[in-house]
């Protein structure tokens, strides 16, 4: 066997040598003719492809019982302590806060200006300060000193931010203030043909105002109950022997009834003592329970307002509905509405704030706002916010100002004891153009219907107000505005007919230039149109007024 195997191996090893000899004998590749047929078709014979399908094998199902045993594993993982060093960011330094400021200036019409603010440094728990202001005009639009005016204010205030009555102990604020204000006017609306001595005492009208108030607020996001309340006293007297004392109390209790439902109970009281030729006292006490439901994009509230008051012209007890709602379709558009009523409180202080030339001996009464219907829409666009709507109010015992038939320089109050309707169509919008330019626009159109008066005396028919502020180069602050108001009607007792006062146009510009972070110089220009328009009959305002001065923070 080994001999045969050895013979085969020798034979295989000799084959390459024999092949090499045959190649050397030929020498090279011999010539040959190769024919390529382009149009030749290769036809293969048809082969059937029919295969016999193999049936799947049957799966035997048996009753094999599988039992699984899960052994209990008691695995104890030792606690792992990982020391992680928190990344510490350098706290940004707070801007330096100057709690004190002094401002001084002077302008035409012999008008000195002075302001002083003294407040504590930045503190998380309390704020306390004092301010003093003075602005006066030694001359006016009529007969120099006879139309002079001025105002001086002294005020102190303090606020405390402490622990509340909640479990977290936050949300409590207590604040209070006390003030004294001296306002000086002159009855310069007399007949131009009258002979009046400059600066005589009969023209003077001075008001001394003083008051003190205390307020608390215990609102917290972590508490279901919040309480707010206040107590205030305001007094006023004048050089004609008239005085009024007004004590005001208000409180509101809010409680979360459910996750989206909140209940409110509000109470208020006004105690007023008025002294003129006779002494009178009035009281107004109210109770306002309501509920508020807040959804994802809407809110509705419903309640009642009960008012008891001792006023000879209005009902002693009155019940008003208070219904409000709003629905926001998105950031761009939302709607709101209101149906309510109220007793409008009128005081001698509030009336003389609107018209300081009110005569002595007038009667002060509340107005009964039996209907307040409001509808509107509001929203925010990329660079502006807007609010547009209408308000229809119906009053009884609504008071308007009329020139006194005995003295045209003084005013009396006349009341419409029937229905007095006020329609207000309004548009308000704010524009934000960059971080340094802000613009605002407000337009109102008023329509009045009275069952008693021929006209709504001294009530405006329309008003347009436009204002803006601009900061240039972080140095120059500019505030400017335009006010256009008209449609005011007055009654001329000499002619025995009504007259419409000329429309008022008032343009102002205030310029502040920052010399440093503490020092500023300013220029103020008011009534640039130089119009001596009248908002109250026989009382033209000053023409162009300007002031210049500086302020310094310390």
């Amino acid at each position: 066997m080994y001999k045969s195997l050895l013979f085969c191996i020798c034979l295989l090893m000799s084959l390459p040598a024999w092949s090499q000899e045959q190649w050397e004998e030929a020498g090279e590749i011999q010539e040959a003719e190769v024919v390529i047929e382009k149009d030749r078709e290769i036809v293969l014979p048809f082969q059937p492809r029919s295969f016999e399908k193999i049936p799947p094998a049957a799966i035997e199902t048996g009753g094999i019982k599988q039992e699984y045993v899960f052994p209990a594993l008691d695995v104890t993982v030792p606690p792992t302590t990982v020391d992680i060093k928190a990344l510490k960011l350098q706290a940004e330094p707070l801007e330096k806060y100057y709690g004190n400021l002094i401002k001084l200036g002077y302008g035409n019409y012999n008008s000195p200006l002075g302001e002083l603010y003294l407040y504590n440094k930045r503190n998380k728990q309390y704020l306390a300060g004092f301010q003093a202001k003075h602005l006066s005009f030694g001359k006016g639009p009529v007969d120099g000193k006879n139309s002079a005016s001025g105002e001086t204010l002294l005020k102190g205030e303090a606020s405390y931010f402490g622990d509340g009555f909640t479990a977290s102990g936050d949300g409590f604020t207590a604040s209070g203030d006390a003030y004294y204000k001296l306002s000086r006017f002159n009855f310069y609306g007399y007949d131009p043909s009258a002979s009046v001595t400059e600066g005589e005492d009969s023209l003077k009208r001075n008001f001394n105002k003083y008051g003190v108030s205390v307020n608390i607020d215990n609102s917290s996001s972590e508490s279901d109950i919040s309480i707010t309340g206040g107590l205030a006293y305001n007094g006023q007297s004048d050089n004609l022997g008239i005085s009024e004392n007004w004590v005001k109390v208000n409180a509101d209790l809010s409680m979360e009834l459910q996750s989206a439902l909140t209940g409110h109970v509000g109470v208020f009281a006004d105690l007023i003592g008025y002294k003129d030729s006779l002494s009178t006292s009035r009281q107004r006490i109210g109770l306002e329970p309501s509920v508020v439901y807040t959804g994802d994009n809407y809110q509705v509230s419903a309640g009642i307002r009960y008012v008891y008051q001792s006023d000879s012209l209005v009902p002693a007890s009155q019940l008003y509905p208070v219904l409000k709602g709003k629905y926001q379709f998105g950031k761009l558009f939302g709607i709101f509405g209101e149906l309510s009523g109220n007793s409008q409180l009128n005081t001698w202080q509030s009336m003389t704030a609107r018209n300081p030339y009110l005569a002595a001996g007038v009667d002060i009464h509340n107005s009964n706002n039996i209907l307040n219907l409001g509808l509107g829409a509001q929203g925010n666009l990329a660079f502006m916010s807007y609010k547009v709507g209408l308000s229809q109010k119906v009053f009884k015992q609504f008071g308007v100002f009329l020139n006194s038939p005995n003295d045209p320089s003084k005013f009396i109050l006349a009341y419409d004891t029937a229905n007095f309707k006020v329609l207000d169509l309004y548009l308000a919008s704010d524009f934000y153009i960059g971080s340094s330019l802000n613009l605002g626009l407000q337009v109102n159109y008023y329509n009045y219907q009275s069952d008693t008066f021929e006209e709504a005396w001294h009530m405006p028919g329309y008003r347009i107000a436009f204002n803006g502020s601009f900061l240039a180069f972080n140095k120059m602050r500019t505030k400017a505005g335009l006010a256009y108001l008209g449609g005011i009607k007055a009654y001329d007792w000499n002619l025995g007919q009504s007259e419409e006062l000329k429309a008022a146009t008032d343009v102002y510009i205030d310029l502040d230039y920052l010399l440093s972070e503490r020092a500023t110089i300013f220029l103020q220009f008011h009534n640039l149109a130089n119009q001596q328009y009248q908002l109250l009959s026989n009382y033209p305002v000053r023409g162009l007024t300007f002031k210049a001065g500086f302020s310094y923070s310390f």
Side-chain angles (χ1 to χ4, degrees):
M1 179 177 180
Y2 289 102
K3 292 181 179 180
S4 299
L5 179 61
L6 180 63
F7 174 79
C8 292
I9 293 173
C10 294
L11 180 62
L12 291 173
M13 294 178 62
S14 65
L15 283 177
W18 179 82
S19 299
Q20 180 67 25
E21 292 177 358
Q22 294 298 318
W23 172 259
E24 291 177 352
E25 292 178 1
E28 60 183 5
I29 298 176
Q30 298 182 1
E31 294 182 359
E33 183 177 358
V34 179
V35 178
I36 299 173
E37 296 184 12
K38 181 176 69 173
D39 298 329
R40 184 175 181 178
E41 296 182 0
I42 299 175
V43 180
L44 299 176
F46 173 76
Q47 296 293 334
R49 298 187 183 275
S50 176
F51 304 99
E52 182 179 356
K53 298 182 179 180
I54 301 175
I59 300 176
E60 296 182 1
T61 57
I64 301 176
K65 183 177 181 180
Q66 302 289 341
E67 294 183 357
Y68 300 92
V69 178
F70 298 96
L73 298 179
D74 186 7
V75 180
T76 303
V77 179
T80 303
T81 303
V82 181
D83 294 330
I84 301 177
K85 292 184 178 181
L87 179 61
K88 295 182 179 180
L89 299 178
Q90 184 176 1
E92 295 184 2
L94 295 174
E95 294 184 5
K96 191 163 185 179
Y97 170 72
Y98 299 101
N100 308 317
L101 181 139
I102 184 171
K103 185 175 183 179
L104 299 173
Y106 193 83
N108 61 336
Y109 291 100
N110 294 339
S111 55
L113 166 68
E115 297 181 9
L116 175 65
Y117 300 87
L118 301 174
Y119 282 79
N120 66 297
K121 296 293 185 179
R122 184 183 286 113
N123 191 292
K124 294 182 179 180
Q125 200 151 28
Y126 70 90
L127 171 70
F130 169 81
Q131 56 182 272
K133 297 181 182 180
H134 174 81
L135 173 62
S136 61
F137 295 89
K139 296 180 180 180
V142 176
D143 296 338
K145 294 182 179 180
N146 285 358
S147 51
S149 64
E151 186 173 279
T152 301
L153 171 67
L154 302 175
K155 181 179 180 180
E157 59 182 345
S159 298
Y160 173 77
F161 313 99
D163 297 337
F165 308 135
T166 62
S168 60
D170 65 348
F172 176 74
T173 302
S175 61
D177 64 65
Y179 72 91
Y180 170 77
K181 185 177 181 180
L182 171 63
S183 301
R184 297 185 296 108
F185 300 92
N186 281 293
F187 292 106
Y188 65 91
Y190 47 79
D191 189 336
S193 61
S195 176
V196 179
T197 304
E198 185 178 78
E200 66 180 61
D201 291 341
S202 62
L203 299 178
K204 295 180 180 180
R205 184 68 181 278
N206 301 331
F207 294 103
N208 292 283
K209 302 179 182 180
Y210 34 87
V212 61
S213 67
V214 177
N215 297 278
I216 61 169
D217 187 341
N218 189 62
S219 301
S220 174
S221 58
E222 299 183 8
S223 174
D224 296 339
I225 300 176
S226 65
I227 302 173
T228 61
L231 172 64
Y233 165 78
N234 294 283
Q236 177 174 290
S237 60
D238 70 354
N239 58 322
L240 303 181
I242 307 173
S243 64
E244 183 180 67
N245 296 300
W246 174 19
V247 176
K248 182 177 180 63
V249 182
N250 68 281
D252 182 83
L253 171 65
S254 176
M255 178 181 296
E256 184 176 347
L257 304 177
Q258 294 180 1
S259 60
L261 187 65
T262 305
H264 296 268
V265 178
V267 294
F268 61 87
D270 298 282
L271 310 175
I272 302 168
Y274 175 69
K275 180 181 179 181
D276 196 343
S277 56
L278 297 174
S279 296
T280 59
S281 61
R282 293 183 296 145
Q283 297 82 36
R284 189 183 73 141
I285 301 173
L287 176 66
E288 299 181 12
S290 65
V291 292
V292 179
Y293 184 84
T294 304
D296 293 335
N297 51 3
Y298 66 93
Q299 185 181 79
V300 293
S301 64
I304 58 174
R305 179 179 291 128
Y306 172 76
V307 178
Y308 169 81
Q309 53 193 335
S310 58
D311 193 299
S312 59
L313 289 186
V314 296
S317 297
Q318 192 78 32
L319 192 64
Y320 306 94
V322 182
L323 304 174
K324 298 180 182 179
K326 59 182 179 180
Y327 189 94
Q328 198 70 29
F329 294 94
K331 184 178 180 181
L332 302 180
F333 179 73
I335 58 175
F336 60 89
E338 177 181 356
L339 176 63
S340 63
N342 199 2
S343 169
Q344 178 177 296
L345 179 67
N346 297 321
T347 66
W348 180 61
Q349 298 177 51
S350 64
M351 289 298 184
T352 53
R354 292 169 52 192
N355 187 345
Y357 311 108
L358 195 63
V362 297
D363 292 330
I364 309 294
H365 297 282
N366 296 337
S367 298
N368 189 8
N369 181 198
I370 60 176
L371 174 65
N372 179 19
L373 174 64
L375 297 171
Q378 61 185 0
N380 294 280
L381 302 179
F383 60 92
M384 64 171 290
S385 63
Y386 68 90
K387 186 176 183 179
V388 59
L390 64 87
S391 171
Q392 176 69 66
K393 296 182 178 181
V394 179
F395 294 88
K396 288 184 179 295
Q397 297 83 40
F398 188 82
V400 297
F401 295 111
L402 274 173
N403 291 90
S404 172
N406 302 320
D407 186 349
S409 67
K410 298 177 182 178
F411 290 83
I412 60 174
L413 276 170
Y415 293 91
D416 187 343
T417 56
N419 291 329
F420 187 90
K421 301 178 182 179
V422 181
L423 174 65
D424 179 12
L425 304 177
Y426 61 88
L427 165 66
S429 182
D430 291 320
F431 302 87
Y432 313 101
I433 305 174
S435 59
S436 59
L437 178 61
N438 295 323
L439 301 174
L441 173 67
Q442 181 168 341
V443 180
N444 294 82
Y445 169 78
Y446 305 99
N447 181 266
Y448 309 97
Q449 296 181 13
S450 173
D451 294 340
T452 303
F453 303 135
E454 177 185 347
E455 302 285 353
W457 309 117
H458 287 98
M459 302 287 289
Y462 53 86
R463 180 179 62 182
I464 301 173
F466 180 79
N467 59 76
S469 62
F470 177 69
L471 176 63
F473 311 111
N474 292 325
K475 287 285 188 180
M476 176 72 75
R477 288 195 301 256
T478 303
K479 295 181 181 180
L482 164 69
Y484 184 69
L485 186 147
I488 299 176
K489 304 291 182 60
Y491 189 80
D492 190 325
W493 293 96
N494 293 328
L495 299 178
Q497 62 184 20
S498 64
E499 61 174 352
E500 182 172 345
L501 305 183
K502 186 179 179 180
T505 303
D506 199 326
V507 182
Y508 76 90
I509 296 178
D510 292 346
L511 303 172
D512 293 341
Y513 184 79
L514 280 67
L515 300 175
S516 67
E517 64 176 4
R518 293 189 178 192
T520 303
I521 58 175
F522 66 87
L523 288 173
Q524 298 177 353
F525 300 92
H526 289 197
N527 197 1
L528 283 171
N530 198 27
Q531 292 187 0
Q532 294 187 349
Y533 56 83
Q534 300 181 29
L535 300 180
L536 296 171
S537 180
N538 300 328
Y539 281 89
V541 302
R542 297 176 182 87
L544 171 64
T545 62
F546 61 86
K547 289 182 179 64
F550 73 94
S551 64
Y552 184 77
S553 300
F554 59 98

